[in-house]
């Protein structure tokens, strides 16, 4: 993994958290467990984004909030901080609060618009994380470990 | 039979005598010496292991100045060390003295030599103090990376250089022994090795450990902030130069790690009690040594407990996020972070009584902790309170797993048991390799059943696997409603309740569970009209010995959320993403309490567990089989 220096890594993923999962791997070459978790996450994230698109079209803030919360949980568990933060924003905005979740907003339109913007950026953040993780596992496989 | 007096001494030690008989051979002498040095060598070595060196014997002993003698002894030491460092160095200048320049009189004595014969040959006029035989053990000779670092009865000056991993291996393998060695003599000189190692060196080390095991130092929860060896002679000092080199702050450069290698180290080394939210416990002293020594190794890269003394999991990104695989392979280590979570659970934790209290203490304390734990992600808080023998996982056995540990730990405290323990742990280590997060509980976890209530399947999987690896039975529920139903089946000691759940929130589910408990008179708080219980509310009594412990998994660290959880009836909480080290600790603390209460449940569990093991035909050496021998029912 020569192309991954610590700073880049820290930017994309919280290794403290992700490391916990890695450590549960029985076999460092296979990394079966963590690999399954990560790949499941990929699937889950992509599904969630799709569902968010739908909910956005339907103006369904509740659903958006719930989806945001849902993905927040798993992205947090994997240490994907940026994705998690964006999901949290969506969660709050879907609940008609400001993105920090502290103040109530009475503007559904605004919330929807905000969510739309954030959805774009979270997709990018996710893509970044996905790419990193795939590279990580690729290099694990190629035995550079 | 006449006995003769011979003089012996330890390197840098004061001379002393032993009496030998005519029929004694060197082997008998060794036995006598082990008795003489019972508290130092006797604790760590067996008689056959020591070697007795005769040097500069002279038919005209006693005629040389004491000073000259000492100098020659120094030369001897230097030669030995030089020879150890470089086998090609030919020992020259065996003796400076005229008289008997043969090599014969400067050598290690063979076990079968008759002592009297030696005396007659080399000390015909009798042995004087200056002629004292040198009593050595293999550990006396410590190779270091640089040939310059030959200790000569004094303090080594710090040398630039990297300590190779081999050296560290070696040191680690020996330091415990040295720490245990206790000399009854006061040694004016002490060889103190200052080992400079750069971060990388230690980093590699850590990486290896982590790789090979569930990271003993993964996140030892306790890292004594200012560990200090306090020796009876006041020699010892442990410094961590520079600020804690946590990944966060960017580890500083070389860390000077003084490692005291002397036999004057007494077991009374103590470290500052780690301040952590868990129950305070007396740390077995010798184990502390290991912690510190170990901490020394790791501190360089990992940093220590943060300012507040909070223990949290700290991992230097450099260590964990190593994009640079290290080819070295260490075959040991399991660090156990103790933190209360100290990974090495070899410590004797005699806190059965504290266990019961602690969870309750924790509840209030966690309030504060969570506040700081909120910032956990960004702050590398050292949780390296692992206490383990250096060459094994350094884990501090958590209080919970105490009982079983007590006996074996007591033994280890004596030092002699330590080696056995080390090897035992090493065996265990291989079984614990993937426990994860440096949580090396040495496989000792309470025999409880945990209900995992999480709506996200990924989080579910993570927790489930966590449980499975520790051989903790678990069940899963994906919303509040399911949680209540599962719980009603009975047999759960602990519930990990995600607070934000669909269908029925975690708060609501908690309230409902507590309500049912009260109605069914489970626990201390009973509804007054519990007599008129509705049929729907009835729970099978035999399966509910005590109120289930509910640990709330909250996403936010807001105080209000926490308080709400506690008010609803939760006993404790963890913020998400769940730090597995903390989780383990919670399980241990609460679980042990529950296990104590549910003795019957434990017994039946144990029965089934044993049956399982027989079926598998393998002993996974799960310490649970050696579980609490005396579980006192607190009823």
């Amino acid at each position: 993994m020569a192309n991954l220096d610590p700073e880049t890594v820290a930017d994309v993923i919280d290794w403290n958290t992700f490391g916990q999962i890695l450590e549960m791997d029985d076999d460092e070459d296979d990394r079966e467990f963590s690999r399954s978790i990560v790949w499941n996450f990929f699937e889950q994230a992509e599904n969630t984004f799709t569902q968010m698109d739908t909910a956005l079209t339907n103006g369904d803030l509740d659903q958006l909030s719930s989806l945001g919360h849902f993905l927040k949980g798993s992205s947090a568990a994997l240490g994907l901080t940026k994705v998690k933060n964006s999901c949290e924003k969506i969660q709050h905005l879907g609940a008609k609060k400001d993105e920090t979740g502290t103040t109530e907003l009475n503007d559904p339109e605004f919330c929807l618009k905000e969510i739309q913007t954030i959805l774009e950026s979270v997709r990018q953040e996710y893509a970044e994380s996905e790419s990193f993780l795939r590279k990580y596992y690729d290099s694990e496989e190629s035995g550079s470990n | 039979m006449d006995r003769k007096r011979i003089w012996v001494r330890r390197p840098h030690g004061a001379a002393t005598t032993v009496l030998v008989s005519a029929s004694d051979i060197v082997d008998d002498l060794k036995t006598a010496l082990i008795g003489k040095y019972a508290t130092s060598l006797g604790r760590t070595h067996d008689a056959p292991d020591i070697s007795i060196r005769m040097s500069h014997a002279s038919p005209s002993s006693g005629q040389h100045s004491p000073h000259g003698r000492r100098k020659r002894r120094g030369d001897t030491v230097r030669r030995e060390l030089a020879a150890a460092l470089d086998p090609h160095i030919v020992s020259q200048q065996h003796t400076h003295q005229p008289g008997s320049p043969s090599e014969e009189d400067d050598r290690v004595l063979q076990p079968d030599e008759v002592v009297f014969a030696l005396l007659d040959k080399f000390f015909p006029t009798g042995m004087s103090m200056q002629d004292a035989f040198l009593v050595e053990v293999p550990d006396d000779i410590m190779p270091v990376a640089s040939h310059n670092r030959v200790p000569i009865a004094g303090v080594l000056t710090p040398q630039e250089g990297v300590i190779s991993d081999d050296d560290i291996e070696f040191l680690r393998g020996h330091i415990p022994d040295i720490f245990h060695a206790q000399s009854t003599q006061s040694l004016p000189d002490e060889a103190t090795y200052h080992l400079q190692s750069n971060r990388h060196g230690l980093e590699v080390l850590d990486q290896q450990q982590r790789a090979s095991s569930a990271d003993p130092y993964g996140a030892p929860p306790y890292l004594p902030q200012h560990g200090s060896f306090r020796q009876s002679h006041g020699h010892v000092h442990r410094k961590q130069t520079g600020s804690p080199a946590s990944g966060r702050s960017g580890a500083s450069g070389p860390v000077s790690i003084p490692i005291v290698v002397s036999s004057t180290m007494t077991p009374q080394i103590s470290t500052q009690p780690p301040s952590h939210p868990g129950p305070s416990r007396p740390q077995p002293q010798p184990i502390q040594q290991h912690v510190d020594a170990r901490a020394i190794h790791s501190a360089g890269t990992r940093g220590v407990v943060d300012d507040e003394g909070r223990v949290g999991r700290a991992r230097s990104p450099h260590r964990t996020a190593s994009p640079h695989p290290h080819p070295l392979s260490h075959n040991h280590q399991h660090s156990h972070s103790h933190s209360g979570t100290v990974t090495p659970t070899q410590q004797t934790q005699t806190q059965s009584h504290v266990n019961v209290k602690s969870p309750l203490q924790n509840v209030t304390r966690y309030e504060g902790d969570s506040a700081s734990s909120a910032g956990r992600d960004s702050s590398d808080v050292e949780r390296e309170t692992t206490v383990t023998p250096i060459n094994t996982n350094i884990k501090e056995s958590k209080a919970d797993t105490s009982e079983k540990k007590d006996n074996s730990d007591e033994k280890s405290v004596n030092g002699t048991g330590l080696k056995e323990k080390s090897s035992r742990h090493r065996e265990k280590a291989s079984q614990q390799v993937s426990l994860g997060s440096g949580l090396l509980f040495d496989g000792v976890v309470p025999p409880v059943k945990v209900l995992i209530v999480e709506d996200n399947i990924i989080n579910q999987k993570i927790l489930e696997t966590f449980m499975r690896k520790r051989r903790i039975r678990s069940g899963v529920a994906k919303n509040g409603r399911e949680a209540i139903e599962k719980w009603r089946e009975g047999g759960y000691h602990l519930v990990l309740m995600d607070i934000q759940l669909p269908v029925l929130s975690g708060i609501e589910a908690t309230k409902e569970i507590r309500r049912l408990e009260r109605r069914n008179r489970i626990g201390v708080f009973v509804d007054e009209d519990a007599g008129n219980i509705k049929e729907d509310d009835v729970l099978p009594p035999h399966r509910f010995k005590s109120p289930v412990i509910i640990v709330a998994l909250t996403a936010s660290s807001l105080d209000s959320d926490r308080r709400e959880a506690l008010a609803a009836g939760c006993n404790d909480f963890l913020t998400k993403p769940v730090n597995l080290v903390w989780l383990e600790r919670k399980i241990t603390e609460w679980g042990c309490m529950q296990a104590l209460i549910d003795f019957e449940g434990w017994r039946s569990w144990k029965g089934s567990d044993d049956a399982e093991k027989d079926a598998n035909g393998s002993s996974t050496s799960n310490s649970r089989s050696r579980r609490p021998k005396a579980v006192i029912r607190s009823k």
Side-chain angles (χ1 to χ4, degrees):
Chain A
M1 303 216 297
N3 53 346
L4 298 165
D5 67 278
E7 272 150 32
T8 310
V9 171
D11 202 37
V12 176
I13 191 170
D14 172 29
W15 207 269
N16 278 349
T17 311
F18 187 59
Q20 290 187 135
I21 298 175
L22 290 179
E23 278 171 348
M24 292 210 269
D25 282 326
D26 287 320
D27 185 337
E28 278 196 18
D29 293 321
D30 268 346
R31 293 211 173 271
E32 210 181 301
F33 169 70
S34 66
R35 208 182 272 268
S36 74
I37 295 281
V38 170
W39 257 256
N40 273 333
F41 174 74
F42 289 160
E43 212 183 305
Q44 191 184 81
E46 280 150 28
N47 280 340
T48 307
F49 293 143
T50 309
Q51 287 181 56
M52 279 179 173
D53 281 336
T54 310
L56 203 54
T57 314
N58 296 340
D60 190 346
L61 283 171
D62 285 340
Q63 174 71 335
L64 284 164
S65 179
S66 148
L67 290 167
H69 166 76
F70 181 76
L71 196 61
K72 175 186 80 171
S74 48
S75 54
L78 280 142
L80 303 174
T81 322
K82 286 203 249 184
V83 175
K84 172 217 156 197
N85 287 336
S86 298
C87 285
E88 192 165 14
K89 287 184 195 165
I90 294 177
Q91 177 193 347
H92 290 224
L93 285 161
K96 294 186 215 138
K97 298 206 174 105
D98 74 319
E99 63 179 38
T100 64
T102 42
T103 29
E104 301 262 345
L105 300 173
N106 276 320
D107 194 344
E109 289 295 321
F110 171 76
C111 293
L112 281 168
K113 257 193 70 192
E114 281 296 302
I115 291 177
Q116 187 160 29
T117 316
I118 296 174
L119 189 50
E120 278 171 35
S121 54
V122 78
R123 276 196 148 102
Q124 280 170 16
E125 289 157 354
Y126 165 73
E128 195 182 33
S129 311
E130 186 196 353
S131 149
F132 168 83
L133 286 166
R134 283 189 194 273
K135 275 198 209 126
Y136 175 78
Y137 280 98
D138 263 349
S139 67
E140 292 279 310
E141 238 172 47
S142 59
S144 67
N145 198 18
Chain B
M1 212 179 324
D2 243 355
R3 304 223 287 174
K4 286 195 184 170
R5 186 178 296 275
I6 66 164
W7 284 93
V8 294
R9 65 180 189 82
R10 290 277 291 137
H12 313 304
T16 184
T17 67
V18 287
L19 292 172
V20 294
S21 314
S23 59
D24 283 341
I25 54 178
V26 169
D27 189 62
D28 300 318
L29 178 58
K30 289 186 185 181
T31 309
L33 285 173
I34 284 293
K36 190 88 181 179
Y37 291 99
T39 40
S40 57
L41 296 183
R43 285 176 152 211
T44 52
H45 295 83
D46 297 320
D49 295 335
I50 68 176
S51 59
I52 305 177
R53 174 183 293 278
M54 170 175 63
S55 66
H56 309 296
S58 157
S60 51
S61 68
Q63 286 178 5
H64 296 270
S65 71
H67 178 69
R69 285 285 179 184
R70 262 201 290 281
K71 183 174 191 309
R72 273 189 291 276
R73 302 218 191 282
D75 289 342
T76 308
V77 174
R78 203 181 288 115
R79 264 206 315 282
E80 288 160 13
L81 288 159
L85 294 172
D86 183 353
H88 299 300
I89 288 178
V90 177
S91 290
Q92 297 157 9
Q93 303 172 341
H94 268 259
T95 114
H96 294 282
Q97 55 164 148
S100 43
S102 69
E103 291 193 14
E104 224 195 66
D105 66 356
D106 183 352
R107 60 179 176 80
V108 170
L109 303 182
Q110 294 303 303
D112 61 349
E113 297 182 64
V114 179
V115 185
F116 270 31
L118 290 166
L119 292 177
D120 292 338
K121 182 171 179 190
F122 296 104
F123 306 99
T125 54
M127 226 182 157
S128 76
M129 206 168 83
Q130 283 84 12
D131 301 322
F133 290 150
L134 210 54
V135 179
E136 298 163 326
V137 288
D139 299 340
D140 286 347
I141 300 171
M142 304 267 293
V144 288
S146 150
H147 284 194
N148 294 332
R149 296 201 215 130
V150 174
I152 303 176
V155 176
L156 289 176
T157 52
Q159 297 279 337
E160 282 311 310
V162 180
I163 294 185
S164 78
D165 302 279
D166 287 341
D167 294 332
I168 293 184
E169 267 264 274
F170 179 91
L171 289 172
R172 290 212 331 247
H174 285 84
I175 283 182
D177 299 332
I178 289 162
F179 282 175
H180 275 85
Q182 183 185 23
S183 156
T184 51
Q185 304 156 9
S186 165
L187 297 184
D189 305 311
E190 193 176 283
T192 307
Y193 293 77
H194 280 264
L195 303 172
Q196 285 260 354
S197 69
N198 63 6
R199 200 158 51 75
H200 180 72
L202 286 184
E203 207 173 280
V204 172
L205 194 68
D206 295 333
Q207 194 62 25
Q208 287 312 311
Q209 293 158 359
R210 281 188 52 256
S212 64
S213 72
D215 193 5
Y217 274 138
Y222 292 155
L223 182 63
Q225 233 168 345
H226 313 290
S228 55
F229 293 117
R230 257 181 279 124
Q231 250 203 22
S232 58
H233 306 296
H235 292 300
V236 193
H237 53 279
R238 174 170 75 90
K239 291 191 290 257
Q240 289 172 11
T241 56
S243 54
S246 70
R248 167 172 38 120
S249 56
S252 52
V255 174
S256 173
I257 302 174
I259 294 178
V260 181
V261 179
S262 95
S263 55
T264 56
M265 191 95 71
T266 70
Q268 287 138 22
I269 289 173
S270 62
T271 57
Q272 251 191 22
S275 51
H276 63 97
S280 58
R281 35 192 109 164
Q283 305 281 352
Q285 298 295 1
I287 312 293
Q288 285 294 344
Q289 302 172 21
H290 298 305
V291 183
D292 294 333
R294 189 70 187 78
I296 290 177
H297 286 297
S298 62
T301 48
R302 255 185 272 106
V304 292
V305 179
D306 72 358
D307 298 335
E308 305 164 311
R310 259 191 359 103
V311 289
R313 189 162 63 83
R315 300 249 205 110
S316 137
H318 300 281
R319 180 169 67 78
T320 54
S322 156
H324 316 292
H326 295 286
L328 300 165
S329 59
H330 288 222
N331 52 349
H332 49 230
Q333 298 294 349
H334 343 290
S335 52
H336 174 67
S337 53
H338 117 95
S339 64
T341 18
V342 176
T343 53
T345 45
Q346 283 92 30
Q347 299 311 315
T348 314
Q349 294 291 352
T350 54
Q351 308 180 4
S352 356
H353 62 289
V354 180
N355 284 344
V356 181
K357 282 191 288 183
S358 73
L360 302 174
Q361 287 171 2
N362 289 340
V363 175
T364 44
R365 276 194 250 186
Y366 288 136
E367 287 264 350
D369 291 336
S370 334
S372 26
S373 73
R376 219 188 320 134
D377 291 350
S378 48
S379 66
D380 284 345
V381 184
E382 188 61 53
R383 301 191 72 206
E384 313 227 25
T385 33
T386 49
V387 182
T388 37
I390 292 185
N391 53 357
T392 65
N393 294 344
I394 294 192
K395 300 193 284 187
E396 214 178 59
S397 54
K398 279 214 57 183
D400 47 1
T401 61
S402 55
E403 295 132 310
K404 161 222 171 239
K405 283 295 180 182
D406 286 357
N407 301 334
S408 48
D409 284 339
E410 302 284 7
K411 195 160 61 110
S412 75
V413 170
N414 292 333
T416 35
L418 200 70
K419 279 193 194 149
E420 301 152 25
K421 204 167 229 240
S422 305
S423 51
R424 173 157 68 84
H425 288 140
R426 235 172 272 130
E427 287 157 21
K428 282 222 165 90
S430 54
Q431 289 146 11
Q432 301 158 14
V433 166
S434 55
L435 266 188
S437 308
L439 306 168
L440 302 179
F441 246 78
D442 194 12
V444 180
V445 280
V448 293
K449 196 165 164 198
V450 179
L451 179 60
I452 298 166
V453 187
E454 254 283 358
D455 60 338
N456 194 315
I457 189 165
I458 286 180
N459 298 21
Q460 254 181 36
K461 279 263 165 291
I462 293 174
L463 290 174
E464 257 189 306
T465 307
F466 177 90
M467 298 297 160
R468 194 166 35 83
K469 287 204 176 287
R470 283 158 185 74
R471 304 208 9 163
I472 300 176
R473 299 163 293 162
S474 66
V476 186
K478 61 177 184 285
N479 59 49
R481 175 60 45 207
E482 249 187 58
I484 295 172
E485 279 159 24
K486 276 262 149 92
W487 167 77
R488 284 184 80 146
E489 289 167 13
Y492 286 104
H493 302 89
L494 195 68
V495 177
L496 298 179
M497 182 86 78
D498 183 359
I499 284 303
Q500 291 138 324
L501 288 171
V503 180
L504 196 64
S505 81
I507 296 284
E508 292 306 314
T510 300
K511 286 183 180 166
E512 177 66 5
I513 288 176
R514 293 304 186 213
R515 187 188 72 85
L516 288 171
E517 280 174 347
R518 280 197 298 270
R519 299 242 116 222
N520 282 272
R521 295 173 182 254
I522 299 168
V524 178
F525 303 108
V526 175
D527 278 352
E528 274 165 22
D529 59 342
N532 308 325
I533 186 168
K534 287 190 286 207
E535 221 184 284
D536 283 347
D537 288 349
V538 174
L539 298 167
H542 65 280
R543 312 203 75 185
F544 295 86
K545 292 281 193 277
S546 65
V548 74
I549 297 295
I550 301 179
V551 176
L553 304 179
T554 70
S556 78
S557 49
L558 291 172
D559 256 4
S560 55
D561 286 356
R562 259 178 246 157
R563 263 185 256 122
E564 194 188 356
L566 292 176
C570 293
N571 300 83
D572 206 342
F573 50 80
L574 283 170
T575 46
K576 300 201 288 187
V578 176
N579 179 316
L580 298 181
V581 175
W582 282 81
L583 178 61
E584 179 155 32
R585 189 171 147 200
K586 297 273 180 227
I587 291 174
T588 300
E589 291 176 354
W590 289 113
C592 281
M593 185 192 88
Q594 290 287 63
L596 284 172
I597 295 170
D598 183 15
F599 180 57
E600 293 304 322
W602 173 77
R603 272 189 25 189
S604 63
W605 164 81
K606 184 175 182 324
S608 69
D609 192 49
D610 285 342
E612 213 180 273
K613 279 209 325 231
D614 291 339
N616 293 341
S618 64
S619 70
T620 43
S621 94
N622 189 326
S623 52
R624 281 149 104 201
S625 61
R626 296 200 293 280
R627 252 324 189 22
K629 297 153 200 150
V631 178
I632 299 166
R633 278 208 95 161
S634 53
K635 289 230 165 157

